[in-house]
Amino acid sequence: MTQVHCFARFCDLLVELSRSSTTVEAIKKWRFDEEYEVEEEEKCLCGTLIKRVAIYKNIHNKKRLKVGSTCIKHFSEYDGDMKCDSEFFTQNGYEK
């Protein structure tokens, strides 16, 4: 599975879990909660196995997401909210 494909899956699921119509709208609903490392790999929202886990919490429905380092690098660095890297979206033809 390519990085773009994994990130597209991540965005699709993020929209669904946020009950939003676009990725940009969905991203605004999530806030950084905590970060930790695990010995046994867990899964990022996109399905990729990860050892370093960032947890984001939805400000409306309190759902929590496990996000890995590959997906998280397309968002702002743990500053309390997710901000889409629009250049990444444009370069990869994935605008939602």
Side-chain angles (χ1 to χ4, degrees), residues 21-62:
S21 56
T22 68
T23 303
V24 173
E25 179 185 309
I27 287 167
K28 295 175 183 176
K29 297 180 180 182
W30 298 89
R31 298 291 179 268
F32 176 74
D33 190 43
E34 65 178 303
E35 180 182 26
Y36 57 89
E37 289 192 32
V38 293
E39 289 191 27
E40 289 189 36
E41 293 177 319
E42 296 184 13
K43 282 192 176 182
C44 174
L45 181 63
C46 75
T48 301
L49 293 175
I50 56 176
K51 286 198 162 228
R52 186 175 192 90
V53 181
I55 300 293
Y56 277 80
K57 190 182 210 178
N58 187 291
I59 60 174
H60 299 291
N61 61 26
K62 307 301 181 206

Side-chain angles (χ1 to χ4, degrees), residues 1-17:
M1 197 177 313
T2 67
Q3 180 181 353
V4 173
H5 179 74
C6 287
F7 191 63
R9 177 173 161 74
F10 173 90
C11 291
D12 288 343
L13 290 171
L14 185 70
V15 168
E16 183 180 322
L17 291 169

